[in-house]
Amino acid sequence: MLNTATTTAAILDILTREAAHCDLLNHTLQQERNALRQLSLAEFPALNAQRLTDLQGLQALESEREAVVHRCADAWGLSRTTLSLQAVIDRLAPPDKREVERCHERLTAKVRALRQETAVNELLVAGIQTLCRKAMHLTSEALPKRDTYSATGESQRAGIGGTMLRQRG
């Protein structure tokens, strides 16, 4: 049998850990944004790996939260498919319910902020991609029309030496 104190503690623990993981992901997104602004290409692989680790941690916590909801559904004789976290929260006693609701609201606000941070980074990436496409187009128009290899089969230098694109950082 599942009691409300155990349920409350389990939900609060998971929501608190999810909020902490959101903070980690937010930090990673901020680092990513700084790298994008500085065009620090060398930082991207490590940041992508960290973002993936952060997201996997959040996914694992979501699975834990779903397991708690499923245990509640089983204990209360309800369908697992119809019982939600909000329905579990609604069944808690008033003092516990308020505490869990506040924690859930903080987590929801952090998730909304993460979506906004991600959207900003997506805009930066799109802008950089556009800049690169335009630079490549301008570079190809400025190049003399000649083959990449000479008549003897040797490589010949063509282009303007990357003067339009320069890595900073």
Side-chain angles (χ1 to χ4, degrees):
M1 190 72 189
L2 197 65
N3 66 39
T4 56
T6 304
T7 303
T8 300
I11 292 172
L12 283 172
D13 176 60
I14 291 170
L15 293 178
T16 301
R17 289 187 292 142
E18 281 182 301
H21 264 75
C22 284
D23 291 340
L24 291 173
L25 181 56
N26 185 48
H27 180 70
T28 301
L29 291 172
Q30 292 297 323
Q31 288 178 314
E32 182 180 82
R33 180 171 306 144
N34 290 336
L36 287 167
R37 286 181 175 156
Q38 296 174 3
L39 294 177
S40 299
L41 303 177
E43 294 180 41
F44 291 154
L47 289 170
N48 283 333
Q50 183 59 49
R51 185 168 17 98
L52 182 60
T53 299
D54 294 343
L55 290 170
Q56 288 170 338
L58 281 171
Q59 188 174 24
L61 288 168
E62 181 181 359
S63 295
E64 279 186 54
R65 184 171 20 92
E66 287 175 357
V68 169
V69 172
H70 289 164
R71 283 195 306 273
C72 290
D74 294 344
W76 296 333
L78 300 171
S79 169
R80 286 181 168 198
T81 58
T82 59
L83 190 65
S84 66
L85 176 62
Q86 188 58 54
V88 172
I89 293 171
D90 290 341
R91 287 175 164 251
L92 297 174
D96 292 337
K97 180 180 177 180
R98 280 190 296 277
E99 186 178 2
V100 173
E101 281 176 334
R102 280 193 302 271
C103 191
H104 187 253
E105 288 168 4
R106 284 191 303 271
L107 175 61
T108 302
K110 287 183 181 204
V111 169
R112 266 194 306 272
L114 285 174
R115 286 185 179 131
Q116 290 173 342
E117 295 293 326
T118 301
V120 170
N121 286 4
E122 287 173 0
L123 286 173
L124 287 172
V125 168
I128 291 168
Q129 288 174 333
T130 300
L131 174 68
C132 290
R133 275 192 222 92
K134 286 180 179 180
M136 288 188 305
H137 179 72
L138 289 172
T139 301
S140 68
E141 286 182 356
L143 293 176
K145 302 296 181 207
R146 61 181 189 192
D147 297 329
T148 306
Y149 294 95
S150 70
T152 62
E154 293 182 23
S155 175
Q156 65 185 20
R157 187 178 173 115
I160 56 176
T163 56
M164 297 192 73
L165 297 175
R166 191 179 89 208
Q167 179 180 352
R168 293 185 289 162

